[in-house]
Amino acid sequence: MGPPDIADNAELDRHLLRRLPEVLRYLQKRSVWAVLLGLAVISTLLDVISFGLMGVLIGIFVAGLEVSVFFEITRSTAQGARDLDAPDFLSIFESIIQPIILVVVAALPMIISGYWATSEFLSGSLPNQAWPPGPLVLFVVGVLTFPLLLTIAAIEQSVLPILNPMVWGRSLWQLGTNYLVAAAGFYALWVVEAFLFVDLAAGIEDLPIFGISVLAALVIYVPRVLRYRLLGALCEPFLAKSIEDSVAIPIDEKPEANYDDSLERLEELESGTMSSRAILRMAN
């Protein structure tokens, strides 16, 4: 017995390329559009009243809220969920600040490389304007690992695994070529999102119509939903099966005890208190 609304992945194809149509079908779910509509309305309303220092604080709040929702897409998809439920609001730190911190940490190699390169250029220590080799290598590593680190951030909800190269290596080894497919799709969708953002932002700049702004936000959210859904689908064949096994009820001489123990583990999983190490452990 597994968690409710969890897909049966006993025969789930581990080849991500063949599961891409399922990623796209996620947009057919009413629950997905309901959550996105709520997010678009909230973000648009808050954007209307944002100004000055209050605008900065509101921008941080909206960014954290969006990351929480999209992390939930990755996490629930990896666990085999068919639909999307809005994440519970736990506290300002856990639901708003922490998700932003996790994204920043996931992007840390690229951030450090940019700072390093800028320092080299400003110091005048470079003989020409070529990108210095150290920051360049670090930037390439950051770009290649960012989808992975973002996935770890969404599933683990902790900084330490993101900074652990051993977790990177083990995950890459187990994901294999599926990671290349996921990374390519991730960045392709990012480019689509960037084009949509620029075009729609320019198109509605002089149209102070609330409904149009909400619609524009929904359109921009579509490629982002697919990006995070893709990251979850990358881990689903490994993670969802591990979860099913972790809450399975073995048959022995004390079925009631086993049932209570399994329900306790299921409650821990749904509340987010189960050890993330057990969640990230992938089946061979």
Side-chain angles (χ1 to χ4, degrees):
M1 184 181 73
D5 298 325
I6 295 294
D8 180 11
N9 68 313
E11 301 298 331
L12 190 62
D13 194 338
R14 291 197 177 192
H15 295 283
L16 181 59
L17 195 60
R18 293 200 286 263
R19 289 187 288 116
L20 291 182
E22 183 62 30
V23 173
L24 296 175
R25 281 195 289 270
Y26 193 61
L27 294 175
Q28 297 176 356
K29 302 293 185 179
R30 293 182 180 179
S31 60
V32 174
W33 286 105
V35 172
L36 291 183
L37 179 60
L39 184 61
V41 169
I42 291 173
S43 62
T44 303
L45 279 174
L46 292 177
D47 183 64
V48 170
I49 63 174
S50 63
F51 56 90
L53 178 59
M54 181 61 69
V56 174
L57 296 177
I58 288 177
I60 293 174
F61 181 86
V62 171
L65 191 63
E66 289 180 346
V67 174
S68 290
V69 170
F70 293 109
F71 271 8
E72 179 63 24
I73 290 175
T74 296
R75 185 166 52 250
S76 62
T77 298
Q79 294 172 0
R82 299 182 179 92
D83 295 303
L84 174 63
D85 294 323
D88 295 330
F89 189 88
L90 304 176
S91 67
I92 290 293
F93 178 78
E94 291 179 277
S95 298
I96 303 298
I97 305 300
Q98 180 175 291
I100 295 176
I101 292 175
L102 293 175
V103 171
V104 171
V105 173
L108 210 53
M110 291 182 288
I111 295 173
I112 293 175
S113 69
Y115 177 79
W116 186 1
T118 302
S119 301
E120 293 278 353
F121 284 126
L122 293 179
S123 66
S125 58
L126 296 174
N128 52 53
Q129 295 300 310
W131 189 280
L136 178 59
V137 171
L138 184 58
F139 181 77
V140 171
V141 170
V143 169
L144 293 176
T145 59
F146 182 62
L148 174 69
L149 302 188
L150 208 56
T151 306
I152 295 173
I155 295 175
E156 284 275 11
Q157 297 288 289
S158 175
V159 168
L160 292 181
I162 307 174
L163 297 175
N164 189 344
M166 294 183 64
V167 174
W168 306 3
R170 184 172 65 250
S171 300
L172 289 173
W173 174 261
Q174 292 170 331
L175 294 172
T177 57
N178 281 334
Y179 179 71
L180 298 178
V181 175
F186 179 88
Y187 284 116
L189 289 166
W190 204 343
V191 171
V192 172
E193 181 181 340
F195 275 110
L196 286 174
F197 180 82
V198 172
D199 290 344
L200 290 175
I204 68 173
E205 185 176 4
D206 299 323
L207 295 174
I209 302 175
F210 181 77
I212 293 179
S213 297
V214 171
L215 180 61
L218 277 174
V219 172
I220 293 172
Y221 284 155
V222 168
R224 198 179 306 178
V225 166
L226 294 177
R227 277 199 290 134
Y228 284 86
R229 172 73 171 177
L230 184 62
L231 295 181
L234 172 67
C235 302
E236 184 183 359
F238 310 97
L239 186 59
K241 186 66 173 72
S242 297
I243 290 174
E244 285 187 7
D245 292 342
S246 71
V247 297
I249 301 179
I251 300 177
D252 62 12
E253 298 177 356
K254 299 179 179 179
E256 293 184 359
N258 288 325
Y259 180 78
D260 292 340
D261 180 63
S262 297
L263 286 182
E264 181 179 350
R265 280 180 287 170
L266 178 54
E267 290 172 357
E268 289 176 350
L269 173 65
E270 292 177 336
S271 64
T273 58
M274 177 178 283
S275 170
S276 55
R277 295 296 176 196
I279 292 179
L280 258 192
R281 186 171 57 249
M282 299 197 180
N284 293 321

